[in-house]
């Protein structure tokens, strides 16, 4: 593998920008795309083929869990075994659990491809019992560890675990120690706003969802089936 050089990445971005400009002849565009292909091949030669990732979806905007569920669906499509553990959520039956139900059934004496555990009891203003919330978060974390340590699972989604850390129900040092136990080729996704800096530093892929507009805030529209739950 060639060493990674920023020049190739910079040239790729420049060529992408130039290709969108008006006034290019067909021949000029073709030459730029030929060069763009060569640069892309150079960039790929500088990358490793595979690595188990720690992925964090955080921020105040909507879509953190939704994006993670997309990765779950892709992984199931590849035939991987997947585990979902939902923190905080659990007082209601999430629609995604119903949608994923066919994958939670084992066939021909084989274990199910998907394990789905919604282990919370709702938002803090609904539960109104901090001690029990901490207990449920710890139970969810212990369940998560059983999947993180299991080499049979290629993807583990810890949904809203960042909220549990932010609220002080779980310690980030314990989360990092648990993530260090995962097999080299497995992926772990951690969602929820307020991801701590230590987790962001340890992660391989971090996406921050930014709130620009939301119908609840601007229009007074309540959460709707299929959109929020």
């Amino acid at each position: 593998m060639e060493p990674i050089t920023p020049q190739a990445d910079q040239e790729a971005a420049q060529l992408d920008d130039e290709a969108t400009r008006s006034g290019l002849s067909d021949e000029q565009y073709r030459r730029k795309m030929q060069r763009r292909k060569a640069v892309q091949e150079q960039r790929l030669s500088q990358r490793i083929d595979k690595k188990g990732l720690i992925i964090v979806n955080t921020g105040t905007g909507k879509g953190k869990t939704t994006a993670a569920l997309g990765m779950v669906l892709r992984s199931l499509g590849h035939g991987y075994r997947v585990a979902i553990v939902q923190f905080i959520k659990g007082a209601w039956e999430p629609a995604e659990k119903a949608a994923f139900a066919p994958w939670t059934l084992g066939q021909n004496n084989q274990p199910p491809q998907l394990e789905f555990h919604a282990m919370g009891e709702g938002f803090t203003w609904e539960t109104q019992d901090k001690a029990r919330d901490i207990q449920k978060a710890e139970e969810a974390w212990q369940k998560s560890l059983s999947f993180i340590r299991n080499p049979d699972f290629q993807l583990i989604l810890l949904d809203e675990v960042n909220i549990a850390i932010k609220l002080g129900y779980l310690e980030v040092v314990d989360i990092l120690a648990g993530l260090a136990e995962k097999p080299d080729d497995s992926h772990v996704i951690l969602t929820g706003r307020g991801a701590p800096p230590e987790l962001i530093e340890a992660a391989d892929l971090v996406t921050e969802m930014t709130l620009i507009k939301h119908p609840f805030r601007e229009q007074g529209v309540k959460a709707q089936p299929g959109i929020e739950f």
Side-chain angles (χ1 to χ4, degrees):
M1 185 182 71
E2 299 179 17
I4 294 177
T5 57
Q7 290 83 359
D9 292 341
Q10 293 166 2
E11 185 177 1
Q14 180 180 346
L15 288 166
D16 287 341
D17 181 61
E18 291 174 353
T20 63
R21 297 176 185 173
S22 60
L24 289 178
S25 67
D26 290 345
E27 179 59 24
Q28 287 174 321
Y29 180 83
R30 186 181 66 82
R31 287 201 301 267
K32 286 189 180 296
M33 290 301 98
Q34 286 178 337
R35 177 57 189 163
R36 181 64 176 82
K37 181 180 179 181
V39 170
Q40 186 65 15
E41 290 173 350
Q42 179 186 356
R43 296 173 77 203
L44 290 174
S45 71
Q46 297 172 351
R47 268 68 178 181
I48 60 178
D49 289 333
K50 188 175 182 181
K51 177 190 177 185
L53 303 177
I54 296 173
I55 302 167
V56 173
N57 292 349
T58 192
T60 58
K62 175 176 165 46
K64 298 175 285 291
T65 296
T66 306
L69 291 174
M71 291 187 185
V72 167
L73 187 60
R74 284 177 176 168
S75 295
L76 292 171
H78 282 289
Y80 299 157
R81 289 198 72 193
V82 178
I84 299 174
V85 179
Q86 291 189 321
F87 295 72
I88 310 299
K89 299 171 183 176
W92 63 92
E93 189 73 5
E96 54 264 29
K97 187 173 183 179
F100 285 130
W103 284 280
T104 63
L105 304 174
Q107 296 181 352
N108 301 321
N109 296 320
Q110 295 297 314
Q113 192 179 349
L114 172 66
E115 294 271 0
F116 197 126
H117 301 271
M119 300 186 65
E121 292 185 337
F123 299 114
T124 54
W125 58 85
E126 294 171 336
T127 60
Q128 302 176 19
D129 187 337
K130 185 174 182 179
R132 183 166 175 81
D133 290 343
I134 293 173
Q135 175 190 340
K136 299 303 291 184
E138 180 59 32
E139 290 174 0
W141 173 237
Q142 292 303 317
K143 175 66 73 174
S144 302
L145 278 176
S146 71
F147 295 123
I148 290 172
R149 293 165 174 161
N150 190 335
D152 292 339
F153 287 86
Q154 284 76 39
L155 179 71
I156 302 98
L157 167 57
L158 310 183
D159 189 31
E160 304 292 5
V161 68
N162 295 340
I163 296 291
I165 300 171
K166 181 181 179 181
L167 292 172
Y169 298 168
L170 299 172
E171 296 292 336
V172 66
V173 292
D174 295 331
I175 303 300
L176 294 175
L179 292 174
E181 296 185 51
K182 80 174 188 64
D184 291 340
D185 59 351
S186 68
H187 309 296
V188 181
I189 311 173
L190 305 95
T191 73
R193 62 179 61 198
E198 301 94 326
L199 181 57
I200 290 174
E201 177 65 25
D204 301 288
L205 173 61
V206 180
T207 300
E208 182 176 16
M209 309 294 186
T210 302
L211 175 62
I212 297 176
K213 294 177 69 176
H214 197 291
F216 182 87
R217 187 179 66 175
E218 278 84 21
Q219 302 175 43
V221 179
K222 294 180 180 179
Q224 300 181 80
I227 305 299
E228 276 86 12
F229 61 92

